Amino acid sequence: METQILMSETIFPTIALAPVILEPETGQAMVVKKEQLNLHTALAQLVNTITLPLRLPEMLQLLAELITQALDIDLCLIMLRSQSKDTFHPCSSHPDVRGSSLRIQSLRIDTALWEHLRTFSLQGKIPEITEEEATLLNPLPKSSDHHFICIPLCAGNEQLGLLYCFAQRPIHCDSDEQLMLNTIAQQTALTIKHRRYMEEDMIAQQSVVKALLEDLLSAKPVSEAALQRRAYLLGFDVTKPHVLLLIELSEATEPLEDKRGAGQERLARYNTALTHIKQSLQASYPSILIDEREAGLCCLLPFETVPEAAQLNGQLEPLMQMIWQECAIYMSVGIGTCCQVISDYPRSYAEACEAVQIGACFKAELRCTHFSELGAYRYLYPFVQAHSISDQYQDAVMVVLKYDQRKKTNLLDTLEAYLECGGNIARTACLLDVHRNTLLQRLCRIQKLCPLDLEHMPDRLPWLLALKIYRLRAHQWRGEESVDG
């Protein structure tokens, strides 16, 4: 016997609720062609979806799409109950109504109404509701000329959410379809509860890791034996060689007309990049410790022996390239010297901090900087942060820079290589991979631009330092311009 549910008179924009069928080659992996899908298939697909490494909203989005196609309805909406407040908020829908003119309001449902819905659910039936109850349950109060059914998502006595189906016609379900819908709702509720338990365990685990790393890296007077025990409980042996990485994420400067939607899109890309980085590092280093921070990640990579810098670069640079290509996010990495005893960790952390900060000043967007390669920059960086000076050497650097900008040349790089090679022509030409005569022509041009004598030995070192100070300041100026923008 068919059951007809009493519906409220509702309507919503046709364009927002037009049925959407994704093409097989562009749709989600779990989507099935509409004519091949029924509620039995939807339940089977739900079971498969639960096993996928998806976040809860993504899993519920796939479920909403499956139900929309199985019942041939206009909209499937899933609302979840807030864990901190007694309200239900929209979580997923198909078609996706985010960014449309459709507005979904949060709901408050009293205990009596919830128990009424749950009574039908326990019997495997779709709840029968009055017009007054339909008004209280309708998350689309300004719509009309549409019908809906709602099924509670409950695990035992716990209220977890509501599953809504909207259509322009009355929705008729036979007893088997009603039972299947309630079965899907119950399985979904159990999955939500399980995922939330997993998230709580993960948060607790992250707190333990964060506390361990703070004590390990802060040089606090903590017993080494106690640190070893705490690390061992996490499956981590701090007595083996480890390399400390600091990873910072950034992106290209956004246009001034950037709006809220673009800000949300940037956040999504940032979160996606973090997920990819953690998954890639955990696949390569199963015993890695990762602490997620506001600007990125702090990681301890375990090794059997002290690794070479080229080994780390070979593993990190493809990941950095992938993050940039897929997420448009710059990944800067600072690497401290290898830790071999517990007392090495605070020092290595300080080195990684310097490496990631200073490396950002003189490397390209995809940056992997080892502390050991900082050289003179390590001593100049604090000076540049604290002082602002101008002298004949700084003036000479700016003269060459302006010429490069005007003529599209690279005399400043030539000057830096020449000074770093101590004025050795053959070594500089080899370093720049240019002919000796080409180098001499460039040096002649630099000499004509600047009053300083390239052959005067006392001028070479301060000139080189002035050039490196410019490199550091140029990065600082770019940062200030970005903030102003």
Side-chain angles (χ1 to χ4, degrees), residues 13 97-105 139-142:
V97 296
R98 291 175 297 181
S100 72
S101 60
L102 187 64
R103 292 293 176 263
I104 303 172
Q105 71 172 13
L140 307 173
K142 295 184 179 180

Side-chain angles (χ1 to χ4, degrees), residues 10-31:
T10 55
I11 193 170
F12 33 86
T14 303
I15 189 170
L17 298 174
V20 174
I21 303 176
L22 300 181
E23 294 294 334
E25 63 271 16
T26 60
Q28 296 285 351
M30 299 303 299
V31 175

Side-chain angles (χ1 to χ4, degrees), residues 255-357:
L256 295 178
E257 63 271 15
D258 179 39
K259 302 297 183 182
R260 180 181 177 185
Q264 294 173 343
E265 188 268 341
R266 289 200 308 272
L267 180 60
R269 286 190 288 109
Y270 180 88
N271 291 333
T272 300
L274 278 179
T275 301
H276 286 339
I277 294 169
K278 288 189 287 187
Q279 289 176 347
S280 177
L281 292 176
Q282 287 167 343
S284 301
Y285 306 94
S287 299
I288 190 175
L289 280 186
I290 300 179
D291 178 26
E292 187 171 331
R293 304 185 173 194
E294 183 177 356
L297 302 171
C298 177
C299 311
L300 282 181
L301 277 58
F303 291 89
E304 292 299 326
T305 58
V306 178
E308 298 290 336
Q311 176 185 352
L312 281 172
N313 289 349
Q315 294 173 336
L316 292 172
E317 288 176 358
L319 174 61
M320 299 165 75
Q321 191 70 38
M322 183 269 287
I323 294 300
W324 167 243
Q325 291 174 348
E326 295 189 4
C327 306
I329 296 290
Y330 297 146
M331 178 178 164
S332 303
V333 182
I335 306 176
T337 53
C338 187
C339 307
Q340 302 191 63
V341 295
I342 287 182
S343 58
D344 289 342
Y345 287 90
R347 185 204 69 239
S348 183
Y349 175 64
E351 293 171 351
C353 289
E354 286 191 56
V356 75
Q357 291 175 355

Side-chain angles (χ1 to χ4, degrees), residues 127-343:
E128 298 179 15
I129 53 178
T130 65
E131 290 188 5
E132 181 180 356
E133 290 169 338
T135 302
L136 296 174
L137 290 170
N138 188 5
L140 307 173
K142 295 184 179 180
S143 57
S144 62
D145 199 26
H146 259 72
H147 306 270
F148 76 89
I149 59 175
C150 67
I151 304 171
L153 303 176
C154 50
N157 294 325
E158 187 174 355
Q159 305 175 17
L160 294 175
L162 290 165
L163 172 64
Y164 286 89
C165 298
F166 288 86
Q168 293 183 354
R169 51 172 173 73
I171 303 175
H172 300 278
C173 296
D174 60 30
S175 58
D176 182 58
E177 289 174 328
Q178 293 185 52
L179 179 60
M180 291 302 300
L181 275 174
N182 277 284
T183 303
I184 290 172
Q186 290 172 8
Q187 291 299 316
T188 302
L190 291 173
T191 301
I192 293 170
K193 189 170 183 178
H194 176 65
R195 292 292 179 94
R196 285 179 173 174
Y197 280 142
M198 290 177 59
E199 290 174 359
E200 291 173 0
D201 290 342
M202 188 179 299
I203 292 172
Q205 177 84 348
Q206 290 172 349
S207 299
V208 173
V209 170
K210 183 180 289 290
L212 172 64
L213 286 178
E214 285 180 356
D215 290 341
L216 192 61
L217 305 180
S218 65
K220 293 180 180 178
V222 181
S223 167
E224 290 191 3
L227 286 174
Q228 288 184 22
R229 287 195 300 271
R230 289 166 58 188
Y232 181 76
L233 292 174
L234 293 170
F236 195 76
D237 187 356
V238 291
T239 62
K240 290 184 177 181
H242 286 84
V243 171
L244 192 145
L245 305 183
L246 277 183
I247 299 175
E248 291 188 354
L249 303 182
S250 59
E251 57 184 343
T253 304
E254 295 291 337
L256 295 178
E257 63 271 15
D258 179 39
K259 302 297 183 182
R260 180 181 177 185
Q264 294 173 343
E265 188 268 341
R266 289 200 308 272
L267 180 60
R269 286 190 288 109
Y270 180 88
N271 291 333
T272 300
L274 278 179
T275 301
H276 286 339
I277 294 169
K278 288 189 287 187
Q279 289 176 347
S280 177
L281 292 176
Q282 287 167 343
S284 301
Y285 306 94
S287 299
I288 190 175
L289 280 186
I290 300 179
D291 178 26
E292 187 171 331
R293 304 185 173 194
E294 183 177 356
L297 302 171
C298 177
C299 311
L300 282 181
L301 277 58
F303 291 89
E304 292 299 326
T305 58
V306 178
E308 298 290 336
Q311 176 185 352
L312 281 172
N313 289 349
Q315 294 173 336
L316 292 172
E317 288 176 358
L319 174 61
M320 299 165 75
Q321 191 70 38
M322 183 269 287
I323 294 300
W324 167 243
Q325 291 174 348
E326 295 189 4
C327 306
I329 296 290
Y330 297 146
M331 178 178 164
S332 303
V333 182
I335 306 176
T337 53
C338 187
C339 307
Q340 302 191 63
V341 295
I342 287 182
S343 58

Side-chain angles (χ1 to χ4, degrees), residues 130 411 440 469:
T130 65
L411 295 183
L440 291 174
I469 287 174

